[in-house]
Amino acid sequence: MKAKKRFVCYLLFGLWLCVFIWAENVSLESQWIVSAIKIDADSSDWMQSLSPAWKKGKVDCSFANDDKNLYFLLVFNDLKYLSSISQTGLKVWLQGGEKNAKDTGFFFIPKIISAEGMINRFEKDGVSLSEEKKQEIRQKEKFVLYEGEYFHGKKPGVLPPLGQDVKPAVFRTAKSGTSFIYEIRLPLNIEFLREEKGIQPGTAMRIGFEWGGMTEEMKADMMRRRSISSTRAEERASSVVTRGDDSDSTPVVGNKDMPFQKGAPRYSFWLEVHLASKPESGR
């Protein structure tokens, strides 16, 4: 009887494992494009249909690429799974082969820069600005920058040369009905990705998405609010009120067993994406 129960347990575990592996092993095809896609969080100019990418969170994806860039739509159809993405940003991990490794990718979050910062960016990119154009830029105090920060390795801020022909990763977001859209372009022609990761048109790659959780500022704010709530509860517990008759004053006991406030949840999922290769001429 024990052997039979053990067999049933192993069988159920095996079935669960197979379902889990199947559910996580989502594979999508990227489509080759001949003209660049405008990154504006408008999905109407996409010919590629969306496919389920993460069923639990009702997230759909669509991918397209040429020989230099990868484009994709990431559509959240259940807004509760956005978690704290607006504060913590979206991480996109890139990996060649079959393993999921969080060591190379892009970080997407809007950044506020000053007018002088914007002028410096133009000049750093080799764009010559007239004094009139600079004054026009200075009419606006701040700008929102929608660029992804490229990283690899465990040391933040140490970036390899991206190359002159490499465009920066860019993104846009927008709410569309009951959904939320991320539209992203990231460069494929980074030397490190091609030589070390083997990521290039015609190959399969692993791409992971991660968001949510809490920033250090959010954690500090939560601890501060917990402290205030705890202090107020103690004050209520030690206060006294008069019943309104001639009975003794009775202490009002507050709830000292306050529920633990959980932070914003962190979510992640991985996909296998088959990058399209350039069609042969005449086909």
Side-chain angles (χ1 to χ4, degrees):
M1 182 63 69
K2 290 183 178 180
K4 185 177 181 180
K5 288 183 178 180
R6 190 181 301 114
F7 172 77
V8 172
C9 291
Y10 288 155
L11 179 61
L12 292 175
F13 176 77
L15 291 173
W16 172 85
L17 184 62
C18 289
V19 171
F20 175 79
I21 293 174
W22 178 82
E24 293 296 318
N25 191 24
V26 178
S27 181
L28 299 178
E29 298 286 336
S30 179
Q31 302 296 317
W32 184 267
I33 56 173
V34 295
S35 58
I37 297 175
K38 184 179 180 181
I39 305 302
D40 54 6
D42 182 1
S43 60
S44 62
D45 56 349
W46 275 72
M47 300 298 294
Q48 297 79 7
S49 59
L50 290 163
S51 300
W54 184 44
K55 291 185 178 180
K56 176 183 176 181
K58 298 181 181 179
V59 177
D60 297 331
C61 281
S62 185
F63 293 88
N65 71 274
D66 53 25
D67 60 339
K68 296 180 180 179
N69 300 285
L70 174 65
Y71 301 83
F72 58 89
L73 280 175
L74 186 67
V75 182
F76 293 83
N77 295 301
D78 190 338
L79 300 184
K80 75 178 182 181
Y81 285 100
L82 285 173
S83 185
S84 57
I85 196 169
S86 61
Q87 293 86 23
T88 57
L90 173 69
K91 289 182 179 179
V92 178
W93 306 98
L94 307 177
Q95 182 67 28
E98 300 178 353
K99 295 182 179 180
N100 300 337
K102 296 180 179 181
D103 60 7
T104 303
F106 291 86
F107 177 58
F108 297 95
I109 192 170
K111 297 179 181 178
I112 305 297
I113 63 173
S114 65
E116 292 301 326
M118 180 61 75
I119 293 173
N120 291 336
R121 286 187 59 83
F122 278 121
E123 293 178 340
K124 183 179 179 181
D125 292 338
V127 178
S128 179
L129 297 174
S130 64
E131 193 60 36
E132 182 180 358
K133 185 63 177 179
K134 290 181 181 180
Q135 291 301 324
E136 181 181 336
I137 294 175
R138 291 188 179 107
Q139 295 300 314
K140 189 174 181 179
E141 292 185 1
K142 297 179 180 180
F143 292 82
V144 181
L145 193 63
Y146 294 94
E147 284 191 7
E149 179 184 359
Y150 174 67
F151 60 89
H152 86 278
K154 297 182 178 180
K155 295 182 180 180
V158 181
L159 305 179
L162 299 186
Q164 295 182 352
D165 196 31
V166 177
K167 293 183 178 180
V170 294
F171 74 108
R172 287 292 190 279
T173 62
K175 191 173 184 299
S176 177
T178 58
S179 300
F180 195 83
I181 297 175
Y182 268 80
E183 187 174 27
I184 297 176
R185 183 198 73 207
L186 55 85
L188 288 177
N189 57 337
I190 297 176
E191 183 177 343
F192 178 78
L193 294 181
R194 291 194 171 181
E195 294 187 0
E196 300 295 330
K197 297 291 186 180
I199 298 175
Q200 55 187 321
T203 65
M205 64 177 290
R206 301 288 296 174
I207 181 167
F209 302 91
E210 181 179 351
W211 69 96
M214 303 185 73
T215 64
E216 293 302 319
E217 292 78 8
M218 292 169 67
K219 292 177 182 178
D221 181 63
M222 185 174 69
M223 294 303 295
R224 180 184 62 80
R225 286 186 282 108
R226 283 183 189 169
S227 177
I228 293 174
S229 298
S230 177
T231 300
R232 289 176 178 173
E234 291 177 359
E235 291 174 349
R236 288 195 300 269
S238 61
S239 64
V240 294
V241 296
T242 302
R243 292 181 181 275
D245 51 22
D246 294 331
S247 60
D248 295 334
S249 297
T250 306
V252 177
V253 180
N255 180 16
K256 291 186 177 181
D257 298 324
M258 299 181 63
F260 181 81
Q261 291 178 311
K262 294 183 179 180
R266 185 188 302 273
Y267 298 112
S268 66
F269 67 92
W270 284 81
L271 302 170
E272 181 180 73
V273 178
H274 294 262
L275 299 175
S277 56
K278 185 176 183 180
E280 297 180 7
S281 58
R283 292 184 59 183

